[in-house]
Amino acid sequence: MNDSETFSSYRVVEPINDDTPLPDLNSLLGILKRMRGCEGADGLPWPENDVSPGRRVSLARTERALVGLLTVLEVLHSADRCRVAAEPERHLDEGVVDGLFLACRGLVEWACREVRPE
């Protein structure tokens, strides 16, 4: 791949092998395929080149899960502050808060399994 072959605002990425077609990043399905394949939370492939391609994908997915976890925890923190400072009718429903905690647990459990070497 040469410097003139770029993906919209993405940097140039070397394919894993020459037979792998590059995803079309101007379409929804192409972007989703790229996201599922190798992107980290910043939208770029995992930056380390000294790990195997499979491990790069695993680390990128783990980073996305952890950024998702951070987002859920920020919502929970905001909900707790609202519970302390706001009127009860402005609080999040108890079921929503439980669901957010379950999402946190699930994301952490998945990330812990994914990070552990086999």
Side-chain angles (χ1 to χ4, degrees):
M1 186 182 274
N2 61 41
D3 291 336
S4 66
E5 298 177 45
T6 60
F7 306 123
S8 64
S9 63
Y10 294 86
R11 69 180 182 196
V12 175
V13 178
E14 294 295 325
I16 292 172
N17 62 43
D18 292 334
D19 298 332
T20 305
L22 298 174
D24 175 17
L25 296 178
N26 293 318
S27 71
L28 177 66
L29 293 177
I31 291 169
L32 286 172
K33 186 175 182 181
R34 168 93 179 257
M35 290 171 86
R36 288 181 181 157
C38 64
E39 283 187 356
D42 60 0
L44 298 172
W46 193 254
E48 293 177 285
N49 292 322
D50 59 340
V51 295
S52 70
R55 187 66 173 159
R56 290 176 72 187
V57 170
S58 176
L59 289 168
R61 288 178 176 167
T62 301
E63 181 190 32
R64 285 196 320 255
L66 292 173
V67 169
L69 173 63
L70 176 62
T71 303
V72 174
L73 286 171
E74 288 171 343
V75 171
L76 278 170
H77 193 190
S78 297
D80 184 60
R81 286 187 179 177
C82 182
R83 183 189 56 77
V84 170
E87 300 296 321
E89 62 271 0
R90 293 182 174 231
H91 298 183
L92 281 180
D93 181 78
E94 193 173 317
V96 172
V97 173
D98 284 344
L100 292 170
F101 276 116
L102 290 172
C104 288
R105 287 187 62 185
L107 287 166
V108 169
E109 288 168 359
W110 184 87
C112 288
R113 275 193 317 269
E114 196 70 16
V115 168
R116 195 100 170 114
E118 293 183 32

